[in-house]
Amino acid sequence: MSEEVQAQQQRPPERAKRLPRAVRERQILDAAVQVFSQYGYHSASMDEISEVAGVSKPMIYTYLGAKEDLFGACIRREATRLLEAVQGGIQPDVPPDMQLWHGLRSFYRFVADYRESWIVLHRQALAVGGSFAEEITAMRGRAIELVAALVVSAGSRKGLAEQVEKSGEGLAAALVGAAESLADWWLDHPDVTDGVLASWLMNLVWLGFNDLVEGEVWKPRDG
């Protein structure tokens, strides 16, 4: 055996490179979202998450806690990313209909780019219920506030603040629910583009929103 080979064998093994905590947590959360979206909360195993993340289970427990804590962290991160994507897509210097259009496109683009995230948020978290469903309810509430503010702002510029304030939040809730349902349908029909999807929803809801901010309200006819 050569002296060079002997030296290599006697050299102590190199320690694995330490990653910054934020990088390691992101690595674990990315793996967890992938596994939870595929198997659901109850069937997903920490062993599988550990394997996908390329880290040990003790490291997962140290950084993000047990399975319940990890799932909650996934929900909070993906919900924050979703809302930031929608907010970032809204352009305040364009007319209200275009603000809504850009917001919807940003929403559906997020669902397209982060399909696993949406599955965890809309399907898995709601199926588990409890505090996880409460997280989704809070996310939905923030989305409703965004849309309601847009409608009320548009109506206020038309001098119809009182009218739109009465119904703006309820209609915003209806729009958010419709957007979520359409996104869920889209998971099984990925051939439709995000632009087409946003156009469908705009054609469904904006005519009503626009009539509202213009002061035109539908009423049932007598008889």
PDB file of all heavy atoms in Angstrom, residues 120-154:
ATOM      1  N   VAL A 120     -51.894  21.044  -0.067  1.00  0.00           N
ATOM      2  CA  VAL A 120     -51.769  21.037   1.393  1.00  0.00           C
ATOM      3  C   VAL A 120     -52.726  22.040   2.018  1.00  0.00           C
ATOM      4  O   VAL A 120     -53.411  21.745   3.003  1.00  0.00           O
ATOM      5  CB  VAL A 120     -50.312  21.328   1.817  1.00  0.00           C
ATOM      6  CG1 VAL A 120     -50.227  21.601   3.315  1.00  0.00           C
ATOM      7  CG2 VAL A 120     -49.410  20.163   1.456  1.00  0.00           C
ATOM      8  N   LEU A 121     -52.802  23.241   1.437  1.00  0.00           N
ATOM      9  CA  LEU A 121     -53.641  24.287   2.004  1.00  0.00           C
ATOM     10  C   LEU A 121     -55.123  23.989   1.849  1.00  0.00           C
ATOM     11  O   LEU A 121     -55.898  24.125   2.805  1.00  0.00           O
ATOM     12  CB  LEU A 121     -53.331  25.627   1.323  1.00  0.00           C
ATOM     13  CG  LEU A 121     -51.995  26.290   1.661  1.00  0.00           C
ATOM     14  CD1 LEU A 121     -51.775  27.514   0.778  1.00  0.00           C
ATOM     15  CD2 LEU A 121     -51.951  26.685   3.131  1.00  0.00           C
ATOM     16  N   HIS A 122     -55.539  23.609   0.656  1.00  0.00           N
ATOM     17  CA  HIS A 122     -56.974  23.537   0.379  1.00  0.00           C
ATOM     18  C   HIS A 122     -57.578  22.164   0.616  1.00  0.00           C
ATOM     19  O   HIS A 122     -58.753  22.055   0.946  1.00  0.00           O
ATOM     20  CB  HIS A 122     -57.247  23.975  -1.058  1.00  0.00           C
ATOM     21  CG  HIS A 122     -58.695  24.233  -1.342  1.00  0.00           C
ATOM     22  ND1 HIS A 122     -59.399  25.260  -0.742  1.00  0.00           N
ATOM     23  CD2 HIS A 122     -59.591  23.591  -2.140  1.00  0.00           C
ATOM     24  CE1 HIS A 122     -60.645  25.251  -1.174  1.00  0.00           C
ATOM     25  NE2 HIS A 122     -60.789  24.243  -2.014  1.00  0.00           N
ATOM     26  N   ARG A 123     -56.796  21.124   0.443  1.00  0.00           N
ATOM     27  CA  ARG A 123     -57.352  19.776   0.600  1.00  0.00           C
ATOM     28  C   ARG A 123     -56.935  19.133   1.922  1.00  0.00           C
ATOM     29  O   ARG A 123     -57.776  18.697   2.697  1.00  0.00           O
ATOM     30  CB  ARG A 123     -56.934  18.895  -0.585  1.00  0.00           C
ATOM     31  CG  ARG A 123     -57.610  19.282  -1.900  1.00  0.00           C
ATOM     32  CD  ARG A 123     -57.299  18.299  -3.014  1.00  0.00           C
ATOM     33  NE  ARG A 123     -58.053  18.598  -4.228  1.00  0.00           N
ATOM     34  CZ  ARG A 123     -57.934  17.923  -5.370  1.00  0.00           C
ATOM     35  NH1 ARG A 123     -57.079  16.919  -5.451  1.00  0.00           N
ATOM     36  NH2 ARG A 123     -58.657  18.255  -6.421  1.00  0.00           N
ATOM     37  N   GLN A 124     -55.641  19.081   2.168  1.00  0.00           N
ATOM     38  CA  GLN A 124     -55.167  18.339   3.333  1.00  0.00           C
ATOM     39  C   GLN A 124     -55.502  19.037   4.646  1.00  0.00           C
ATOM     40  O   GLN A 124     -55.982  18.414   5.588  1.00  0.00           O
ATOM     41  CB  GLN A 124     -53.656  18.105   3.219  1.00  0.00           C
ATOM     42  CG  GLN A 124     -53.195  17.484   1.912  1.00  0.00           C
ATOM     43  CD  GLN A 124     -53.771  16.096   1.658  1.00  0.00           C
ATOM     44  OE1 GLN A 124     -54.563  15.594   2.436  1.00  0.00           O
ATOM     45  NE2 GLN A 124     -53.384  15.472   0.568  1.00  0.00           N
ATOM     46  N   ALA A 125     -55.248  20.337   4.729  1.00  0.00           N
ATOM     47  CA  ALA A 125     -55.487  21.052   5.987  1.00  0.00           C
ATOM     48  C   ALA A 125     -56.963  21.046   6.352  1.00  0.00           C
ATOM     49  O   ALA A 125     -57.331  20.852   7.516  1.00  0.00           O
ATOM     50  CB  ALA A 125     -54.966  22.480   5.885  1.00  0.00           C
ATOM     51  N   LEU A 126     -57.817  21.264   5.380  1.00  0.00           N
ATOM     52  CA  LEU A 126     -59.255  21.279   5.654  1.00  0.00           C
ATOM     53  C   LEU A 126     -59.757  19.894   6.035  1.00  0.00           C
ATOM     54  O   LEU A 126     -60.666  19.750   6.847  1.00  0.00           O
ATOM     55  CB  LEU A 126     -60.022  21.802   4.433  1.00  0.00           C
ATOM     56  CG  LEU A 126     -59.793  23.282   4.094  1.00  0.00           C
ATOM     57  CD1 LEU A 126     -60.537  23.642   2.814  1.00  0.00           C
ATOM     58  CD2 LEU A 126     -60.242  24.176   5.242  1.00  0.00           C
ATOM     59  N   ALA A 127     -59.154  18.855   5.436  1.00  0.00           N
ATOM     60  CA  ALA A 127     -59.573  17.487   5.754  1.00  0.00           C
ATOM     61  C   ALA A 127     -59.220  17.124   7.192  1.00  0.00           C
ATOM     62  O   ALA A 127     -59.976  16.419   7.869  1.00  0.00           O
ATOM     63  CB  ALA A 127     -58.910  16.505   4.783  1.00  0.00           C
ATOM     64  N   VAL A 128     -58.084  17.605   7.680  1.00  0.00           N
ATOM     65  CA  VAL A 128     -57.674  17.307   9.056  1.00  0.00           C
ATOM     66  C   VAL A 128     -58.525  18.082  10.047  1.00  0.00           C
ATOM     67  O   VAL A 128     -58.919  17.576  11.102  1.00  0.00           O
ATOM     68  CB  VAL A 128     -56.180  17.629   9.259  1.00  0.00           C
ATOM     69  CG1 VAL A 128     -55.770  17.386  10.712  1.00  0.00           C
ATOM     70  CG2 VAL A 128     -55.329  16.791   8.318  1.00  0.00           C
ATOM     71  N   GLY A 129     -58.823  19.354   9.703  1.00  0.00           N
ATOM     72  CA  GLY A 129     -59.684  20.170  10.563  1.00  0.00           C
ATOM     73  C   GLY A 129     -58.929  20.741  11.751  1.00  0.00           C
ATOM     74  O   GLY A 129     -57.708  20.844  11.764  1.00  0.00           O
ATOM     75  N   GLY A 130     -59.667  21.063  12.808  1.00  0.00           N
ATOM     76  CA  GLY A 130     -59.060  21.589  14.026  1.00  0.00           C
ATOM     77  C   GLY A 130     -58.312  22.886  13.802  1.00  0.00           C
ATOM     78  O   GLY A 130     -58.738  23.749  13.031  1.00  0.00           O
ATOM     79  N   SER A 131     -57.178  23.021  14.459  1.00  0.00           N
ATOM     80  CA  SER A 131     -56.390  24.252  14.358  1.00  0.00           C
ATOM     81  C   SER A 131     -55.854  24.463  12.951  1.00  0.00           C
ATOM     82  O   SER A 131     -55.620  25.601  12.535  1.00  0.00           O
ATOM     83  CB  SER A 131     -55.223  24.209  15.354  1.00  0.00           C
ATOM     84  OG  SER A 131     -54.365  23.113  15.084  1.00  0.00           O
ATOM     85  N   PHE A 132     -55.667  23.364  12.207  1.00  0.00           N
ATOM     86  CA  PHE A 132     -55.175  23.502  10.841  1.00  0.00           C
ATOM     87  C   PHE A 132     -56.224  24.190   9.970  1.00  0.00           C
ATOM     88  O   PHE A 132     -55.912  25.073   9.168  1.00  0.00           O
ATOM     89  CB  PHE A 132     -54.824  22.136  10.262  1.00  0.00           C
ATOM     90  CG  PHE A 132     -53.778  21.397  11.045  1.00  0.00           C
ATOM     91  CD1 PHE A 132     -53.949  20.064  11.376  1.00  0.00           C
ATOM     92  CD2 PHE A 132     -52.621  22.040  11.455  1.00  0.00           C
ATOM     93  CE1 PHE A 132     -52.991  19.383  12.093  1.00  0.00           C
ATOM     94  CE2 PHE A 132     -51.646  21.369  12.180  1.00  0.00           C
ATOM     95  CZ  PHE A 132     -51.829  20.041  12.503  1.00  0.00           C
ATOM     96  N   ALA A 133     -57.474  23.792  10.113  1.00  0.00           N
ATOM     97  CA  ALA A 133     -58.546  24.440   9.359  1.00  0.00           C
ATOM     98  C   ALA A 133     -58.700  25.897   9.779  1.00  0.00           C
ATOM     99  O   ALA A 133     -59.041  26.760   8.960  1.00  0.00           O
ATOM    100  CB  ALA A 133     -59.860  23.685   9.563  1.00  0.00           C
ATOM    101  N   GLU A 134     -58.442  26.176  11.055  1.00  0.00           N
ATOM    102  CA  GLU A 134     -58.524  27.564  11.526  1.00  0.00           C
ATOM    103  C   GLU A 134     -57.471  28.435  10.844  1.00  0.00           C
ATOM    104  O   GLU A 134     -57.714  29.613  10.564  1.00  0.00           O
ATOM    105  CB  GLU A 134     -58.337  27.604  13.044  1.00  0.00           C
ATOM    106  CG  GLU A 134     -59.513  26.997  13.813  1.00  0.00           C
ATOM    107  CD  GLU A 134     -59.243  26.896  15.303  1.00  0.00           C
ATOM    108  OE1 GLU A 134     -58.139  27.327  15.734  1.00  0.00           O
ATOM    109  OE2 GLU A 134     -60.098  26.388  16.029  1.00  0.00           O
ATOM    110  N   GLU A 135     -56.308  27.861  10.576  1.00  0.00           N
ATOM    111  CA  GLU A 135     -55.268  28.599   9.852  1.00  0.00           C
ATOM    112  C   GLU A 135     -55.772  28.972   8.452  1.00  0.00           C
ATOM    113  O   GLU A 135     -55.525  30.086   7.964  1.00  0.00           O
ATOM    114  CB  GLU A 135     -54.000  27.743   9.732  1.00  0.00           C
ATOM    115  CG  GLU A 135     -53.314  27.436  11.044  1.00  0.00           C
ATOM    116  CD  GLU A 135     -52.334  28.524  11.454  1.00  0.00           C
ATOM    117  OE1 GLU A 135     -52.246  29.549  10.742  1.00  0.00           O
ATOM    118  OE2 GLU A 135     -51.668  28.341  12.488  1.00  0.00           O
ATOM    119  N   ILE A 136     -56.445  28.039   7.798  1.00  0.00           N
ATOM    120  CA  ILE A 136     -56.965  28.301   6.452  1.00  0.00           C
ATOM    121  C   ILE A 136     -58.076  29.342   6.510  1.00  0.00           C
ATOM    122  O   ILE A 136     -58.185  30.208   5.637  1.00  0.00           O
ATOM    123  CB  ILE A 136     -57.474  27.001   5.804  1.00  0.00           C
ATOM    124  CG1 ILE A 136     -56.359  25.954   5.771  1.00  0.00           C
ATOM    125  CG2 ILE A 136     -57.992  27.270   4.405  1.00  0.00           C
ATOM    126  CD1 ILE A 136     -55.090  26.412   5.112  1.00  0.00           C
ATOM    127  N   THR A 137     -58.904  29.277   7.533  1.00  0.00           N
ATOM    128  CA  THR A 137     -59.957  30.274   7.701  1.00  0.00           C
ATOM    129  C   THR A 137     -59.360  31.672   7.858  1.00  0.00           C
ATOM    130  O   THR A 137     -59.874  32.647   7.297  1.00  0.00           O
ATOM    131  CB  THR A 137     -60.829  29.934   8.920  1.00  0.00           C
ATOM    132  OG1 THR A 137     -61.435  28.648   8.722  1.00  0.00           O
ATOM    133  CG2 THR A 137     -61.922  30.972   9.119  1.00  0.00           C
ATOM    134  N   ALA A 138     -58.273  31.760   8.617  1.00  0.00           N
ATOM    135  CA  ALA A 138     -57.604  33.051   8.797  1.00  0.00           C
ATOM    136  C   ALA A 138     -57.023  33.548   7.475  1.00  0.00           C
ATOM    137  O   ALA A 138     -57.120  34.746   7.154  1.00  0.00           O
ATOM    138  CB  ALA A 138     -56.506  32.925   9.846  1.00  0.00           C
ATOM    139  N   MET A 139     -56.435  32.657   6.694  1.00  0.00           N
ATOM    140  CA  MET A 139     -55.897  33.035   5.388  1.00  0.00           C
ATOM    141  C   MET A 139     -57.014  33.532   4.485  1.00  0.00           C
ATOM    142  O   MET A 139     -56.876  34.550   3.805  1.00  0.00           O
ATOM    143  CB  MET A 139     -55.199  31.841   4.738  1.00  0.00           C
ATOM    144  CG  MET A 139     -54.660  32.126   3.336  1.00  0.00           C
ATOM    145  SD  MET A 139     -54.170  30.628   2.427  1.00  0.00           S
ATOM    146  CE  MET A 139     -55.794  29.933   2.033  1.00  0.00           C
ATOM    147  N   ARG A 140     -58.132  32.807   4.484  1.00  0.00           N
ATOM    148  CA  ARG A 140     -59.270  33.203   3.655  1.00  0.00           C
ATOM    149  C   ARG A 140     -59.804  34.570   4.085  1.00  0.00           C
ATOM    150  O   ARG A 140     -60.188  35.387   3.255  1.00  0.00           O
ATOM    151  CB  ARG A 140     -60.367  32.146   3.746  1.00  0.00           C
ATOM    152  CG  ARG A 140     -61.567  32.436   2.848  1.00  0.00           C
ATOM    153  CD  ARG A 140     -62.607  31.345   2.953  1.00  0.00           C
ATOM    154  NE  ARG A 140     -62.132  30.103   2.352  1.00  0.00           N
ATOM    155  CZ  ARG A 140     -62.054  28.942   2.987  1.00  0.00           C
ATOM    156  NH1 ARG A 140     -62.382  28.880   4.275  1.00  0.00           N
ATOM    157  NH2 ARG A 140     -61.642  27.869   2.354  1.00  0.00           N
ATOM    158  N   GLY A 141     -59.801  34.811   5.386  1.00  0.00           N
ATOM    159  CA  GLY A 141     -60.256  36.107   5.885  1.00  0.00           C
ATOM    160  C   GLY A 141     -59.407  37.248   5.367  1.00  0.00           C
ATOM    161  O   GLY A 141     -59.927  38.312   5.008  1.00  0.00           O
ATOM    162  N   ARG A 142     -58.095  37.034   5.308  1.00  0.00           N
ATOM    163  CA  ARG A 142     -57.212  38.079   4.794  1.00  0.00           C
ATOM    164  C   ARG A 142     -57.434  38.300   3.300  1.00  0.00           C
ATOM    165  O   ARG A 142     -57.384  39.443   2.814  1.00  0.00           O
ATOM    166  CB  ARG A 142     -55.750  37.721   5.078  1.00  0.00           C
ATOM    167  CG  ARG A 142     -55.409  37.720   6.565  1.00  0.00           C
ATOM    168  CD  ARG A 142     -53.917  37.670   6.809  1.00  0.00           C
ATOM    169  NE  ARG A 142     -53.326  36.408   6.406  1.00  0.00           N
ATOM    170  CZ  ARG A 142     -53.239  35.340   7.187  1.00  0.00           C
ATOM    171  NH1 ARG A 142     -53.738  35.364   8.416  1.00  0.00           N
ATOM    172  NH2 ARG A 142     -52.665  34.231   6.755  1.00  0.00           N
ATOM    173  N   ALA A 143     -57.701  37.216   2.579  1.00  0.00           N
ATOM    174  CA  ALA A 143     -57.985  37.351   1.149  1.00  0.00           C
ATOM    175  C   ALA A 143     -59.300  38.105   0.925  1.00  0.00           C
ATOM    176  O   ALA A 143     -59.402  38.944   0.016  1.00  0.00           O
ATOM    177  CB  ALA A 143     -58.057  35.967   0.498  1.00  0.00           C
ATOM    178  N   ILE A 144     -60.288  37.838   1.750  1.00  0.00           N
ATOM    179  CA  ILE A 144     -61.576  38.537   1.645  1.00  0.00           C
ATOM    180  C   ILE A 144     -61.387  40.023   1.908  1.00  0.00           C
ATOM    181  O   ILE A 144     -61.978  40.870   1.222  1.00  0.00           O
ATOM    182  CB  ILE A 144     -62.601  37.922   2.617  1.00  0.00           C
ATOM    183  CG1 ILE A 144     -62.991  36.511   2.158  1.00  0.00           C
ATOM    184  CG2 ILE A 144     -63.841  38.805   2.753  1.00  0.00           C
ATOM    185  CD1 ILE A 144     -63.815  35.741   3.170  1.00  0.00           C
ATOM    186  N   GLU A 145     -60.556  40.345   2.893  1.00  0.00           N
ATOM    187  CA  GLU A 145     -60.287  41.757   3.190  1.00  0.00           C
ATOM    188  C   GLU A 145     -59.662  42.466   1.985  1.00  0.00           C
ATOM    189  O   GLU A 145     -59.990  43.623   1.702  1.00  0.00           O
ATOM    190  CB  GLU A 145     -59.357  41.863   4.398  1.00  0.00           C
ATOM    191  CG  GLU A 145     -60.013  41.488   5.721  1.00  0.00           C
ATOM    192  CD  GLU A 145     -59.014  41.486   6.868  1.00  0.00           C
ATOM    193  OE1 GLU A 145     -57.824  41.801   6.606  1.00  0.00           O
ATOM    194  OE2 GLU A 145     -59.405  41.182   8.003  1.00  0.00           O
ATOM    195  N   LEU A 146     -58.770  41.769   1.276  1.00  0.00           N
ATOM    196  CA  LEU A 146     -58.142  42.364   0.098  1.00  0.00           C
ATOM    197  C   LEU A 146     -59.178  42.716  -0.960  1.00  0.00           C
ATOM    198  O   LEU A 146     -59.185  43.820  -1.506  1.00  0.00           O
ATOM    199  CB  LEU A 146     -57.123  41.385  -0.500  1.00  0.00           C
ATOM    200  CG  LEU A 146     -55.725  41.340   0.087  1.00  0.00           C
ATOM    201  CD1 LEU A 146     -54.922  40.232  -0.580  1.00  0.00           C
ATOM    202  CD2 LEU A 146     -55.024  42.673  -0.099  1.00  0.00           C
ATOM    203  N   VAL A 147     -60.057  41.755  -1.268  1.00  0.00           N
ATOM    204  CA  VAL A 147     -61.057  41.972  -2.307  1.00  0.00           C
ATOM    205  C   VAL A 147     -62.085  43.002  -1.869  1.00  0.00           C
ATOM    206  O   VAL A 147     -62.486  43.878  -2.645  1.00  0.00           O
ATOM    207  CB  VAL A 147     -61.746  40.639  -2.677  1.00  0.00           C
ATOM    208  CG1 VAL A 147     -62.825  40.868  -3.739  1.00  0.00           C
ATOM    209  CG2 VAL A 147     -60.724  39.628  -3.170  1.00  0.00           C
ATOM    210  N   ALA A 148     -62.515  42.915  -0.622  1.00  0.00           N
ATOM    211  CA  ALA A 148     -63.512  43.860  -0.121  1.00  0.00           C
ATOM    212  C   ALA A 148     -62.972  45.286  -0.170  1.00  0.00           C
ATOM    213  O   ALA A 148     -63.694  46.227  -0.530  1.00  0.00           O
ATOM    214  CB  ALA A 148     -63.917  43.498   1.308  1.00  0.00           C
ATOM    215  N   ALA A 149     -61.712  45.477   0.177  1.00  0.00           N
ATOM    216  CA  ALA A 149     -61.116  46.813   0.130  1.00  0.00           C
ATOM    217  C   ALA A 149     -61.111  47.357  -1.285  1.00  0.00           C
ATOM    218  O   ALA A 149     -61.361  48.549  -1.513  1.00  0.00           O
ATOM    219  CB  ALA A 149     -59.696  46.766   0.679  1.00  0.00           C
ATOM    220  N   LEU A 150     -60.872  46.479  -2.249  1.00  0.00           N
ATOM    221  CA  LEU A 150     -60.875  46.895  -3.647  1.00  0.00           C
ATOM    222  C   LEU A 150     -62.276  47.358  -4.073  1.00  0.00           C
ATOM    223  O   LEU A 150     -62.443  48.403  -4.701  1.00  0.00           O
ATOM    224  CB  LEU A 150     -60.414  45.736  -4.528  1.00  0.00           C
ATOM    225  CG  LEU A 150     -60.175  45.972  -6.018  1.00  0.00           C
ATOM    226  CD1 LEU A 150     -59.176  44.949  -6.534  1.00  0.00           C
ATOM    227  CD2 LEU A 150     -61.464  45.871  -6.831  1.00  0.00           C
ATOM    228  N   VAL A 151     -63.296  46.569  -3.708  1.00  0.00           N
ATOM    229  CA  VAL A 151     -64.675  46.899  -4.092  1.00  0.00           C
ATOM    230  C   VAL A 151     -65.135  48.172  -3.398  1.00  0.00           C
ATOM    231  O   VAL A 151     -65.736  49.053  -4.019  1.00  0.00           O
ATOM    232  CB  VAL A 151     -65.618  45.727  -3.764  1.00  0.00           C
ATOM    233  CG1 VAL A 151     -67.069  46.117  -4.046  1.00  0.00           C
ATOM    234  CG2 VAL A 151     -65.230  44.499  -4.564  1.00  0.00           C
ATOM    235  N   VAL A 152     -64.860  48.291  -2.111  1.00  0.00           N
ATOM    236  CA  VAL A 152     -65.292  49.475  -1.366  1.00  0.00           C
ATOM    237  C   VAL A 152     -64.583  50.714  -1.890  1.00  0.00           C
ATOM    238  O   VAL A 152     -65.190  51.784  -2.033  1.00  0.00           O
ATOM    239  CB  VAL A 152     -65.023  49.291   0.140  1.00  0.00           C
ATOM    240  CG1 VAL A 152     -65.273  50.594   0.893  1.00  0.00           C
ATOM    241  CG2 VAL A 152     -65.914  48.187   0.702  1.00  0.00           C
ATOM    242  N   SER A 153     -63.285  50.583  -2.199  1.00  0.00           N
ATOM    243  CA  SER A 153     -62.543  51.712  -2.732  1.00  0.00           C
ATOM    244  C   SER A 153     -63.127  52.171  -4.060  1.00  0.00           C
ATOM    245  O   SER A 153     -63.296  53.375  -4.300  1.00  0.00           O
ATOM    246  CB  SER A 153     -61.067  51.327  -2.911  1.00  0.00           C
ATOM    247  OG  SER A 153     -60.348  52.366  -3.525  1.00  0.00           O
ATOM    248  N   ALA A 154     -63.450  51.204  -4.921  1.00  0.00           N
ATOM    249  CA  ALA A 154     -64.040  51.563  -6.219  1.00  0.00           C
ATOM    250  C   ALA A 154     -65.395  52.218  -6.038  1.00  0.00           C
ATOM    251  O   ALA A 154     -65.719  53.211  -6.706  1.00  0.00           O
ATOM    252  CB  ALA A 154     -64.163  50.306  -7.079  1.00  0.00           C
TER     253      ALA A 154
END
